Amino acid sequence: MDYQSTRSSAFKADSVTAVLEGIAPDGGLYITDPSKIAFDWRSALRCSSRDMSAMILHALLPDFPDMKAIVERAYLNKFETEDLTPTVKVGDRYVLELFRGPTSAFKDVALSVLPQLVTAGRTMHGAEDDVVILTATSGDTGKAALEGFHDVDGTRIVVFYPYKGVSRVQELQMSTQKGANVKVCAVRGNFDDAQTGVKNVFSACREKDLGGKSLSSANSINIGRLAPQVMYYFRAYADLVNKGRINVGDTVHYVVPTGNFGDILAGWFAKLLGLPVGKLVCASNQNNVLTDFINTGVYDKRREFYKTNSPSMDILVSSNLERLLYLLCKDASYVAELMKKLSSEGIYEISAGILEKLQSGFVAGFCNDENSIDTIGRVFREYGYLMDPHTAVAWNVCDSFIESFGSEPVVVLSTASPYKFPAACLRALGEDPGDDEFAVMRRLNEISGVPVPANLACLESAKVLHTDVINKEDMLAYVLSYISE
Ligand SMILES: *Cc1c(COP(=O)(O)O)cnc(C)c1O
């Protein structure tokens, strides 16, 4: 029993159960302490990306047999490059390109693995009925989850996204999804509404007879979604060693465009497993609740919600922060108390001791739309490198910390292809994008010479198959009706 709920040590689970359940029965998240795992991080650095991934996943999710086979199946012919997540030098920083997978966003790294974990877990548990995967998405998780789970035996998947809250390309990626086991539905509300709705469906269904079926999650509340992301911090570090930029043992800083705190938490896991991670820089857009939290220790979600040009980070309730809080204090009843305050009052404050620990690992900043557009243009003009608005937020926030890092290298995580957000990118290059996003993609390609990923280009002629729009109060009924089909 390596895992327990962040809110109570009474709810324990082995790693297979944690993945299959997605969320603990008390609404907490399943967590283990990676610093307690004996992990030979130096040998991991000498591995290929896939072997590195298998090694890390075996350490974090020890109850799955043959992780190597799981990882091989997960990444077979899915990514553009053999190393999965290449590191490229841009000026004197390094950009870790996490978007070379089937849906052109970093979510692919984990959501290629998760269906394999669920399938292996079902077999181990002798499950006969379907696992229904519930997913709330701010834009990118939805498509990556659909891509991973469509037509996987023994699974069904339901994706909820904020109505009019995602980019046109993101919406088309989801609404054109084929597969006999998929449902895609827009919810009137923002991402936080969709995510809270999904959590509510989980707790309501605990009491209900689902006819043998069970629920799980493809969001990073599921540890099976978080664990596969730890690999790319090792990958980037190994790349810097291989390029001769650092020696094994040297410190590397990472800048992470952050929304739900999953990506950056994977960096904290990497550090706890031994990787010499320096600072983790938490970069937010104008929804800067995390910047304030890391700087002051007060988490206050009672603030205006902005729709920005980096929609995958338009989030005010960052679920995975709960896991970090647990790892910092190891006191589940304290975490439960904070989460209760967050849901009843919308605000909580951590103790000075925990804040100090938090600030020893993390620094934070934010960047508004105007500055992210400016950054895309500036980096393209100076280095010929085209980045998406999420990556631009990270690059921009990195500017404020770069001097404090001295000669130590900095890796900026690039979370999406610029072609997922073509209008913002073209505007950044000084042209008016107009309404036709596919014409914008072609124009961007002419200017930058960067090829349009095939999975995005083909959306122009794909048939829209999903048009459901519901109110957030109706999410439970929507799920129950699909379960009973
Ligand atoms: C999901 C996403 C993020 C935020 O990642 P979290 O794990 O939610 O912090 C950033 N950029 C892009 C492009 C994303 O899709």
Side-chain angles (χ1 to χ4, degrees), residues 84 214 275 291 426 458:
L84 307 179
S214 56
L275 191 71
T291 314
L426 190 61
C458 75

Side-chain angles (χ1 to χ4, degrees), residues 47 81 114 247 318 333 362 403 451:
C47 293
T81 59
L114 184 62
N247 294 313
S318 294
S333 55
F362 294 83
E403 279 189 9

Side-chain angles (χ1 to χ4, degrees), residues 255-306:
V255 190
V256 190
T258 299
N260 222 0
F261 213 77
D263 204 2
I264 194 166
L265 187 69
W268 187 246
F269 273 44
K271 185 169 176 149
L272 296 181
L273 286 173
L275 191 71
V277 173
K279 287 287 189 233
L280 289 162
V281 181
C282 177
S284 300
N285 64 25
Q286 192 154 10
N287 295 294
N288 59 355
V289 61
L290 287 167
T291 314
D292 289 346
F293 175 66
I294 291 172
N295 289 328
T296 66
V298 177
Y299 196 98
D300 188 354
K301 70 165 187 181
R302 304 165 308 169
R303 60 180 71 209
E304 192 171 339
F305 177 91
Y306 297 99

Side-chain angles (χ1 to χ4, degrees), residues 369-440:
D369 276 2
E370 195 188 329
N371 290 332
S372 71
I373 292 285
D374 186 60
T375 301
I376 296 171
R378 181 163 52 88
V379 172
F380 185 72
R381 283 191 303 278
E382 277 178 34
Y383 309 111
Y385 187 80
L386 184 63
M387 53 177 56
D388 98 290
H390 302 75
T391 310
V393 165
W395 186 282
N396 181 288
V397 169
C398 184
D399 291 344
S400 346
F401 295 99
I402 195 87
E403 279 189 9
S404 65
F405 298 149
S407 62
E408 289 165 344
V410 181
V411 175
V412 175
L413 274 64
S414 177
T415 47
S417 159
Y419 289 103
K420 275 199 105 161
F421 306 94
C425 293
L426 190 61
R427 189 170 301 120
L429 303 189
E431 292 189 17
D432 176 7
D435 292 335
D436 179 349
E437 291 220 333
F438 295 96
V440 177

Side-chain angles (χ1 to χ4, degrees), residues 130-156:
D130 288 356
V131 178
V132 182
I133 308 290
L134 299 185
T135 307
T137 182
S138 56
D140 291 329
T141 293
K143 178 59 183 183
L146 290 163
E147 185 62 37
F149 279 100
H150 77 89
D151 298 319
V152 171
D153 282 347
T155 71
R156 301 183 189 191

Side-chain angles (χ1 to χ4, degrees), residues 43 48 53 92 172 236 351 378 382-383 385 408 436 448 456 459:
S43 346
S48 69
S53 176
D92 46 19
L172 275 174
S351 71
R378 181 163 52 88
E382 277 178 34
Y383 309 111
Y385 187 80
E408 289 165 344
D436 179 349
S448 70
L456 299 179
L459 291 174

